[in-house]
Amino acid sequence: MPELPFTKAHGAGNDFLIVDRNDLSGLGVPDSGLPGLARKICDRRFGVGADGLEIVGPSELPDVVASAHLWNSDGSAAEISGNGTRCVAAYLSQRTDLPERFVIETGAGPREVVRTAAAHPDFAFRMTSRADACRVLDGSLSLHVDGERFEVTSVDVGNPQCVRRVRSFDFDWPELGRRLERHPHFADGSNVSFVRVRARRDASPALDVRFWERGAGATLSSGTGALGAALAARHHGWIGASVEIEAEGGTLVVDWEDGIGLTGPARIVAQGLYQS
């Protein structure tokens, strides 16, 4: 394949490669070739390396600036990434004279983003999901894994989320995440979040979270995972109407003002040409 332009960005350590659909069309890459492209370009040893590949193109929806379709690093398609959508927003903001507020079409539907900071290559955005697009499916789901029972909360935020509260992360949470992701209860698999509730200095609650993402494995952060963790936490009364979520890669904020908002950084770290 000839050279393919790409941009690499991350949201709190959750990294994505962003490619323009027009460039793929110009190189003759069909939709059927996208899973293989995602696996190759996201490979951290033989490719550029990332948790996922965002394909950006035009949208047929009114008042939408672009579409963003996500492929995980294992080549599977995903509905949406909160961090990935902010990374796409940063990509679009550096290329086009966009207003502060605009809409991106995702596989889970349109999402409004508001640019809250811009000092290239660093940006920050608040992505809004409608309240009816995020819901707790089962607040007391009991799953059996290798003879053990695990109490979790099942959440839908545009993609499936499985949330488990823990006292610490002093256990093999990636292995448990891998097993919960593939549990038969989740027909299409699930993202998994392990949540520790702690008190901040002002005594308000915050969430420390570790993420295992369907199709990508352990990641330093997850936007939709943060949404899922926050929805589960509020459902159980652990938090109020706003919460800081501390991941290994940085801090995200979820709030319930005018829909459900996810605020966090998006940093563009590289641009180049990929040769397969």
Side-chain angles (χ1 to χ4, degrees), residues 83-97:
N83 288 334
T85 301
R86 291 200 320 279
C87 287
V88 169
Y91 167 84
L92 295 170
S93 294
Q94 73 157 1
R95 291 165 58 97
T96 310
D97 184 19

Side-chain angles (χ1 to χ4, degrees), residues 33-114:
L34 295 179
L37 173 63
R39 287 191 296 270
K40 289 180 179 180
I41 197 171
C42 291
D43 190 287
R44 296 193 182 277
R45 292 178 176 82
F46 297 102
V48 181
D51 293 323
L53 171 66
E54 292 275 11
I55 307 295
V56 177
S59 173
E60 297 181 356
L61 298 178
D63 302 319
V64 174
V65 299
S67 65
H69 293 283
L70 173 63
W71 296 86
N72 293 316
S73 57
D74 71 350
S76 61
E79 301 87 348
I80 183 175
S81 165
N83 288 334
T85 301
R86 291 200 320 279
C87 287
V88 169
Y91 167 84
L92 295 170
S93 294
Q94 73 157 1
R95 291 165 58 97
T96 310
D97 184 19
L98 291 175
E100 182 179 276
R101 184 185 302 264
F102 52 94
V103 178
I104 296 173
E105 178 192 354
T106 76
R111 293 293 188 271
E112 182 182 75
V113 294
V114 177

Side-chain angles (χ1 to χ4, degrees), residues 119-196:
H120 179 77
D122 290 295
F123 297 84
F125 298 91
R126 180 183 187 269
M127 183 189 82
T128 304
S129 298
R130 299 189 324 271
D132 61 359
C134 300
R135 58 201 177 105
V136 174
L137 302 177
D138 191 335
S140 57
L141 177 62
S142 182
L143 300 179
H144 290 266
V145 177
D146 294 337
E148 290 187 71
R149 187 178 69 179
F150 296 93
E151 300 296 330
V152 303
T153 301
S154 176
V155 182
D156 179 11
V157 296
N159 61 14
Q161 301 287 332
C162 170
V163 182
R164 175 167 170 79
R165 185 174 182 178
V166 298
R167 293 183 179 275
S168 76
F169 302 113
D170 188 22
F171 67 100
D172 191 355
W173 62 265
E175 176 60 19
L176 180 56
R178 183 186 67 82
R179 296 188 180 193
L180 289 173
E181 173 203 351
R182 301 175 183 178
H183 193 279
H185 178 83
F186 305 112
D188 298 317
S190 180
N191 299 281
V192 183
S193 300
F194 299 98
V195 178
R196 178 175 64 190

Side-chain angles (χ1 to χ4, degrees), residues 10 19 27 35 40 52 85 93 103 114 144 147 174 198 202-203 209 224 240-241 251 258:
H10 76 86
V19 171
L27 295 175
K40 289 180 179 180
T85 301
S93 294
V103 178
V114 177
H144 290 266
R198 64 174 169 83
D202 62 1
V209 188
T224 55
T251 303
D258 186 25

